[in-house]
PDB file of all heavy atoms in Angstrom:
ATOM      1  N   LEU A  41     107.579  95.205  79.216  1.00 96.00           N
ATOM      2  CA  LEU A  41     108.020  96.534  78.789  1.00 96.00           C
ATOM      3  C   LEU A  41     109.511  96.685  78.948  1.00 96.00           C
ATOM      4  O   LEU A  41     110.233  97.330  78.092  1.00 96.00           O
ATOM      5  CB  LEU A  41     107.304  97.608  79.552  1.00 96.00           C
ATOM      6  CG  LEU A  41     105.816  97.724  79.313  1.00 96.00           C
ATOM      7  CD1 LEU A  41     105.206  98.744  80.285  1.00 96.00           C
ATOM      8  CD2 LEU A  41     105.522  98.095  77.861  1.00 96.00           C
ATOM      9  N   PRO A  46     116.242  96.896  76.735  1.00 93.00           N
ATOM     10  CA  PRO A  46     117.082  96.198  77.686  1.00 93.00           C
ATOM     11  C   PRO A  46     118.390  96.956  78.061  1.00 93.00           C
ATOM     12  O   PRO A  46     118.999  96.678  79.096  1.00 93.00           O
ATOM     13  CB  PRO A  46     117.433  94.872  77.020  1.00 93.00           C
ATOM     14  CG  PRO A  46     117.285  95.188  75.526  1.00 93.00           C
ATOM     15  CD  PRO A  46     116.196  96.225  75.370  1.00 93.00           C
ATOM     16  N   THR A  50     118.242 102.339  84.565  1.00 91.00           N
ATOM     17  CA  THR A  50     117.175 102.779  85.472  1.00 91.00           C
ATOM     18  C   THR A  50     115.839 102.687  84.672  1.00 91.00           C
ATOM     19  O   THR A  50     115.447 103.535  83.912  1.00 91.00           O
ATOM     20  CB  THR A  50     117.451 104.246  85.885  1.00 91.00           C
ATOM     21  OG1 THR A  50     118.661 104.383  86.499  1.00 91.00           O
ATOM     22  CG2 THR A  50     116.333 104.669  86.859  1.00 91.00           C
ATOM     23  N   GLN A  71      92.774 107.113  95.286  1.00 96.00           N
ATOM     24  CA  GLN A  71      92.897 106.629  93.877  1.00 96.00           C
ATOM     25  C   GLN A  71      92.884 107.827  92.895  1.00 96.00           C
ATOM     26  O   GLN A  71      93.689 107.830  91.982  1.00 96.00           O
ATOM     27  CB  GLN A  71      91.735 105.715  93.570  1.00 96.00           C
ATOM     28  CG  GLN A  71      91.730 104.399  94.390  1.00 96.00           C
ATOM     29  CD  GLN A  71      90.519 103.580  94.196  1.00 96.00           C
ATOM     30  OE1 GLN A  71      89.456 104.143  93.933  1.00 96.00           O
ATOM     31  NE2 GLN A  71      90.589 102.267  94.446  1.00 96.00           N
ATOM     32  N   ILE A 132      97.771 119.430  93.131  1.00 96.00           N
ATOM     33  CA  ILE A 132      96.879 118.487  93.814  1.00 96.00           C
ATOM     34  C   ILE A 132      96.522 118.986  95.142  1.00 96.00           C
ATOM     35  O   ILE A 132      95.343 118.790  95.523  1.00 96.00           O
ATOM     36  CB  ILE A 132      97.638 117.107  93.869  1.00 96.00           C
ATOM     37  CG1 ILE A 132      97.698 116.498  92.490  1.00 96.00           C
ATOM     38  CG2 ILE A 132      96.932 116.203  94.863  1.00 96.00           C
ATOM     39  CD1 ILE A 132      98.499 115.153  92.438  1.00 96.00           C
ATOM     40  N   GLU A 142     104.060 123.885 102.395  1.00 65.00           N
ATOM     41  CA  GLU A 142     104.761 125.105 102.748  1.00 65.00           C
ATOM     42  C   GLU A 142     103.932 126.038 103.745  1.00 65.00           C
ATOM     43  O   GLU A 142     104.381 127.126 104.034  1.00 65.00           O
ATOM     44  CB  GLU A 142     105.048 126.012 101.464  1.00 65.00           C
ATOM     45  CG  GLU A 142     106.090 125.366 100.612  1.00 65.00           C
ATOM     46  CD  GLU A 142     105.503 124.405  99.595  1.00 65.00           C
ATOM     47  OE1 GLU A 142     104.254 124.199  99.638  1.00 65.00           O
ATOM     48  OE2 GLU A 142     106.255 123.864  98.747  1.00 65.00           O
ATOM     49  N   ILE A 171     112.552  97.113 112.197  1.00 89.00           N
ATOM     50  CA  ILE A 171     113.672  98.040 111.847  1.00 89.00           C
ATOM     51  C   ILE A 171     113.498  98.582 110.451  1.00 89.00           C
ATOM     52  O   ILE A 171     113.643  99.799 110.231  1.00 89.00           O
ATOM     53  CB  ILE A 171     114.998  97.301 111.982  1.00 89.00           C
ATOM     54  CG1 ILE A 171     115.275  96.856 113.428  1.00 89.00           C
ATOM     55  CG2 ILE A 171     116.138  98.248 111.513  1.00 89.00           C
ATOM     56  CD1 ILE A 171     116.458  95.942 113.571  1.00 89.00           C
ATOM     57  N   TYR A 190     122.906 110.209 112.232  1.00 96.00           N
ATOM     58  CA  TYR A 190     121.953 109.093 111.695  1.00 96.00           C
ATOM     59  C   TYR A 190     121.500 108.272 112.857  1.00 96.00           C
ATOM     60  O   TYR A 190     120.213 108.035 112.985  1.00 96.00           O
ATOM     61  CB  TYR A 190     122.668 108.274 110.708  1.00 96.00           C
ATOM     62  CG  TYR A 190     121.911 107.134 110.102  1.00 96.00           C
ATOM     63  CD1 TYR A 190     120.672 107.279 109.516  1.00 96.00           C
ATOM     64  CD2 TYR A 190     122.500 105.857 110.149  1.00 96.00           C
ATOM     65  CE1 TYR A 190     119.956 106.204 108.969  1.00 96.00           C
ATOM     66  CE2 TYR A 190     121.803 104.774 109.584  1.00 96.00           C
ATOM     67  CZ  TYR A 190     120.574 104.954 109.001  1.00 96.00           C
ATOM     68  OH  TYR A 190     119.905 103.915 108.483  1.00 96.00           O
ATOM     69  N   PHE A 202     125.034 100.399 114.809  1.00 93.00           N
ATOM     70  CA  PHE A 202     126.299 100.285 115.441  1.00 93.00           C
ATOM     71  C   PHE A 202     127.292  99.559 114.527  1.00 93.00           C
ATOM     72  O   PHE A 202     126.970  98.716 113.764  1.00 93.00           O
ATOM     73  CB  PHE A 202     126.216  99.614 116.807  1.00 93.00           C
ATOM     74  CG  PHE A 202     125.686  98.191 116.741  1.00 93.00           C
ATOM     75  CD1 PHE A 202     126.580  97.112 116.768  1.00 93.00           C
ATOM     76  CD2 PHE A 202     124.326  97.919 116.660  1.00 93.00           C
ATOM     77  CE1 PHE A 202     126.073  95.810 116.701  1.00 93.00           C
ATOM     78  CE2 PHE A 202     123.819  96.625 116.588  1.00 93.00           C
ATOM     79  CZ  PHE A 202     124.731  95.562 116.621  1.00 93.00           C
ATOM     80  N   SER A 235     123.170  95.060 105.069  1.00 92.00           N
ATOM     81  CA  SER A 235     123.052  94.665 103.663  1.00 92.00           C
ATOM     82  C   SER A 235     121.839  93.762 103.417  1.00 92.00           C
ATOM     83  O   SER A 235     121.422  93.502 102.291  1.00 92.00           O
ATOM     84  CB  SER A 235     124.295  93.777 103.297  1.00 92.00           C
ATOM     85  OG  SER A 235     124.492  92.720 104.160  1.00 92.00           O
ATOM     86  N   ASN A 254     124.554 117.496 103.693  1.00 91.00           N
ATOM     87  CA  ASN A 254     125.176 118.723 104.264  1.00 91.00           C
ATOM     88  C   ASN A 254     124.711 119.977 103.529  1.00 91.00           C
ATOM     89  O   ASN A 254     124.517 121.048 104.146  1.00 91.00           O
ATOM     90  CB  ASN A 254     126.724 118.612 104.257  1.00 91.00           C
ATOM     91  CG  ASN A 254     127.383 119.715 105.031  1.00 91.00           C
ATOM     92  OD1 ASN A 254     126.952 120.037 106.137  1.00 91.00           O
ATOM     93  ND2 ASN A 254     128.438 120.242 104.483  1.00 91.00           N
ATOM     94  N   ASP A 263     117.043 128.889 110.998  1.00 95.00           N
ATOM     95  CA  ASP A 263     115.698 128.780 111.541  1.00 95.00           C
ATOM     96  C   ASP A 263     115.758 128.052 112.818  1.00 95.00           C
ATOM     97  O   ASP A 263     115.132 128.397 113.862  1.00 95.00           O
ATOM     98  CB  ASP A 263     114.734 128.134 110.573  1.00 95.00           C
ATOM     99  CG  ASP A 263     113.417 127.946 111.184  1.00 95.00           C
ATOM    100  OD1 ASP A 263     112.730 128.941 111.361  1.00 95.00           O
ATOM    101  OD2 ASP A 263     113.049 126.783 111.403  1.00 95.00           O
ATOM    102  N   GLN A 289     108.241 120.021 122.706  1.00 90.00           N
ATOM    103  CA  GLN A 289     106.914 120.510 122.379  1.00 90.00           C
ATOM    104  C   GLN A 289     106.912 121.353 121.109  1.00 90.00           C
ATOM    105  O   GLN A 289     105.896 121.503 120.446  1.00 90.00           O
ATOM    106  CB  GLN A 289     106.419 121.356 123.545  1.00 90.00           C
ATOM    107  CG  GLN A 289     106.083 120.569 124.827  1.00 90.00           C
ATOM    108  CD  GLN A 289     105.826 121.441 126.013  1.00 90.00           C
ATOM    109  OE1 GLN A 289     105.921 122.681 125.905  1.00 90.00           O
ATOM    110  NE2 GLN A 289     105.418 120.877 127.131  1.00 90.00           N
ATOM    111  N   GLN A 290     108.078 121.863 120.708  1.00 90.00           N
ATOM    112  CA  GLN A 290     108.245 122.614 119.486  1.00 90.00           C
ATOM    113  C   GLN A 290     108.775 121.712 118.374  1.00 90.00           C
ATOM    114  O   GLN A 290     109.196 122.293 117.336  1.00 90.00           O
ATOM    115  CB  GLN A 290     109.188 123.814 119.749  1.00 90.00           C
ATOM    116  CG  GLN A 290     108.707 124.770 120.834  1.00 90.00           C
ATOM    117  CD  GLN A 290     107.366 125.382 120.464  1.00 90.00           C
ATOM    118  OE1 GLN A 290     107.146 125.760 119.319  1.00 90.00           O
ATOM    119  NE2 GLN A 290     106.489 125.549 121.475  1.00 90.00           N
ATOM    120  N   CYS A 316     115.842 117.740 109.804  1.00 95.00           N
ATOM    121  CA  CYS A 316     117.284 117.893 109.736  1.00 95.00           C
ATOM    122  C   CYS A 316     117.862 117.580 111.109  1.00 95.00           C
ATOM    123  O   CYS A 316     117.212 117.816 112.165  1.00 95.00           O
ATOM    124  CB  CYS A 316     117.673 119.368 109.346  1.00 95.00           C
ATOM    125  SG  CYS A 316     117.228 119.818 107.667  1.00 95.00           S
ATOM    126  N   SER A 376      96.299 147.531 154.964  1.00 51.00           N
ATOM    127  CA  SER A 376      96.018 146.390 154.077  1.00 51.00           C
ATOM    128  C   SER A 376      96.176 146.840 152.651  1.00 51.00           C
ATOM    129  O   SER A 376      96.723 146.172 151.763  1.00 51.00           O
ATOM    130  CB  SER A 376      94.645 145.807 154.312  1.00 51.00           C
ATOM    131  OG  SER A 376      94.444 144.762 153.380  1.00 51.00           O
ATOM    132  N   ASP A 388     106.545 139.447 139.510  1.00 44.00           N
ATOM    133  CA  ASP A 388     105.661 138.280 139.551  1.00 44.00           C
ATOM    134  C   ASP A 388     106.246 137.114 138.774  1.00 44.00           C
ATOM    135  O   ASP A 388     105.528 136.368 138.141  1.00 44.00           O
ATOM    136  CB  ASP A 388     104.273 138.648 139.053  1.00 44.00           C
ATOM    137  CG  ASP A 388     104.358 139.208 137.626  1.00 44.00           C
ATOM    138  OD1 ASP A 388     105.439 139.361 137.087  1.00 44.00           O
ATOM    139  OD2 ASP A 388     103.232 139.423 137.063  1.00 44.00           O
TER     140      ASP A 388
END
Side-chain angles (χ1 to χ4, degrees):
L41 292 176
T50 304
Q71 293 169 338
I132 287 174
E142 290 89 356
I171 297 172
Y190 176 55
F202 62 97
S235 57
N254 190 42
D263 176 70
Q289 294 171 353
Q290 300 300 320
C316 293
S376 178
D388 57 355

